[in-house]
Amino acid sequence: MPEYLDVLGLSGDQQVREFFQNYNLSGVLSNRSHELLDLCSPTSQIIEATDFGRDTYGISENFVCLTSGEGEGFILYSKVDGKVYDVAVNQLDELEAGKIKARWQSFVELIEWYLS
């Protein structure tokens, strides 16, 4: 799993690293409409979603996709500021321009919301 964090450029992010080293989202039920993807073996869902978002929608290397984008939107983790953004596909240019505010101020805030 640490190699997955390295592939995504998250090797130095302690919140993300600690979470995915200790927890597996596959067994977590949430009443939220979003389904967060997992990074733990044997799956590489986050890597696949991030590659899809970059290839299909031009999502910047500064972001990691925490959802699949199937609903024409993504929850994106910013490697630059550690904040988490909830954006529709048609808002990606605004996000890149810095016009979209983060929905969660940290990865931990996102997980708290997801599990509440």
Side-chain angles (χ1 to χ4, degrees), residues 8 10 20 36-39 44-54 57 59-60 62-69 73-78 85 92:
L8 292 167
L10 295 172
F20 284 113
L36 295 179
L37 300 176
D38 213 339
L39 182 64
S44 58
Q45 292 175 326
I46 289 178
I47 292 173
E48 293 164 11
T50 300
D51 287 344
F52 170 75
R54 290 177 182 161
Y57 296 107
I59 292 175
S60 163
N62 293 330
F63 294 99
V64 172
C65 299
L66 300 178
T67 57
S68 68
F74 290 93
I75 291 181
L76 300 173
Y77 175 79
S78 170
Y85 298 80
L92 290 171

Side-chain angles (χ1 to χ4, degrees), residues 5-41:
L5 292 166
D6 294 338
V7 166
L8 292 167
L10 295 172
S11 55
D13 189 300
Q14 288 307 108
Q15 287 183 344
V16 174
R17 177 178 287 286
E18 190 173 321
F19 180 82
F20 284 113
Q21 284 180 330
N22 292 297
Y23 303 100
N24 185 331
L25 282 172
S26 341
V28 174
L29 296 176
S30 173
N31 61 353
R32 303 297 178 182
S33 60
H34 300 298
E35 180 183 346
L36 295 179
L37 300 176
D38 213 339
L39 182 64
C40 304
S41 280

